[in-house]
Amino acid sequence: MREFEDYLAVHIERLRHGGADNSILSAVLHDSDLSETEVRMFAGLLLGAGFVTTTHAFGNAVVALVGHPDQLARLRAHPEGWPNAVEEVLRYDSVAQIGARVATETLQIGGHTVQEGSAIFLLIGGANRDPAIFERADEFDTTRANARDHISFGTGIHVCLGAALARMELHIGLQTLFERFPQLALAGEPTLNDSTLLHGIKHLPVSLGPTRVNTG
């Protein structure tokens, strides 16, 4: 963490004195009144949220897909289904299991009073399995018509800044992985990271099988 902090400090100074470029961090530096600490926190959040979450989503997706060979077979036959498969993975095995919000006014939820200013912890993983929204909510179905109704990226003004990038990374990465290694299989039990905030896999043993070479 100290090495990361040192790196950020040097990088921020380089951006601050090197003129504006087209990066998000540079825009924050030159167009906002954030303090040095706030800029470092923003940079750390941007890097962590843009990398760790997608990495976890990728691992969760591999486990879900390998565990449902019928779904993989359908995707091989109909590769145009990959974008929807990504949405179903995000719904079925959410990386962000919990979200925190602050009530801006006093309100009633399920017969309970939530006072203005109170912190509310939202169970995102539970909402993504809500049977009132998703038919057969506990089943993994890459053809689910409303798979994109998940809230893994948040919603409204809180929607994830990198949602479009994450979707693209998962689509390209997963489709390429299973096209190149069509016999990829688990070679042991996945080791979870035991996080209640960002659900992911620490260790995922797999056997790749023969590689499919693209001769086109």
Side-chain angles (χ1 to χ4, degrees):
M1 288 299 293
R2 280 193 292 268
E3 290 177 1
F4 180 60
E5 282 286 322
D6 291 341
Y7 164 77
L8 279 182
V10 172
H11 183 58
I12 288 169
E13 279 304 299
R14 184 165 59 244
L15 289 178
R16 195 187 301 279
H17 298 295
D21 61 19
N22 62 353
S23 71
I24 295 175
L25 185 55
S26 179
V28 168
L29 278 170
H30 292 277
D31 301 329
S32 75
D33 57 357
L34 296 183
S35 68
E36 183 73 16
T37 299
E38 289 169 334
V39 169
R40 291 192 191 189
M41 290 177 65
F42 177 87
L45 177 63
L46 191 66
L47 183 59
F51 171 71
V52 176
T53 51
T54 309
T55 302
H56 286 346
F58 199 94
N60 296 346
V62 169
V63 172
L65 288 162
V66 169
H68 296 82
D70 58 319
Q71 307 286 325
L72 270 178
R74 184 183 293 121
L75 288 167
R76 290 192 188 99
H78 304 283
E80 68 276 7
W82 273 108
N84 199 71
V86 167
E87 301 299 334
E88 177 66 351
V89 164
L90 292 166
R91 181 202 73 84
Y92 180 77
D93 200 0
S94 316
V95 173
Q97 290 285 306
I98 298 174
R101 297 291 183 264
V102 176
T104 58
E105 60 183 49
T106 300
L107 68 159
Q108 295 287 324
I109 300 178
H112 299 276
T113 301
V114 178
Q115 298 293 336
E116 179 182 355
S118 298
I120 303 172
F121 288 91
L122 311 173
L123 302 183
I124 296 171
N128 284 344
R129 298 283 188 100
D130 185 353
I133 303 298
F134 303 102
E135 187 179 350
R136 299 171 287 101
D138 290 332
E139 293 184 20
F140 181 67
D141 181 4
T142 58
T143 65
R144 185 181 299 276
N146 68 333
R148 197 172 172 126
D149 288 344
H150 65 78
I151 57 169
S152 295
F153 290 124
T155 186
I157 63 172
H158 295 288
V159 73
C160 174
L161 184 67
L165 176 60
R167 284 183 165 109
M168 181 177 69
E169 290 174 325
L170 289 168
H171 175 191
I172 294 172
L174 290 169
Q175 182 173 358
T176 302
L177 177 69
F178 285 104
E179 284 181 352
R180 184 172 180 183
F181 301 105
Q183 295 184 32
L184 186 148
L186 295 186
E189 205 58 36
T191 303
L192 298 178
N193 62 356
D194 296 325
S195 172
T196 56
L197 180 61
L198 296 177
H199 165 64
I201 295 170
K202 286 172 57 178
H203 181 63
L204 180 59
V206 299
S207 59
L208 297 178
T211 304
R212 177 174 293 169
V213 179
N214 185 358
T215 58

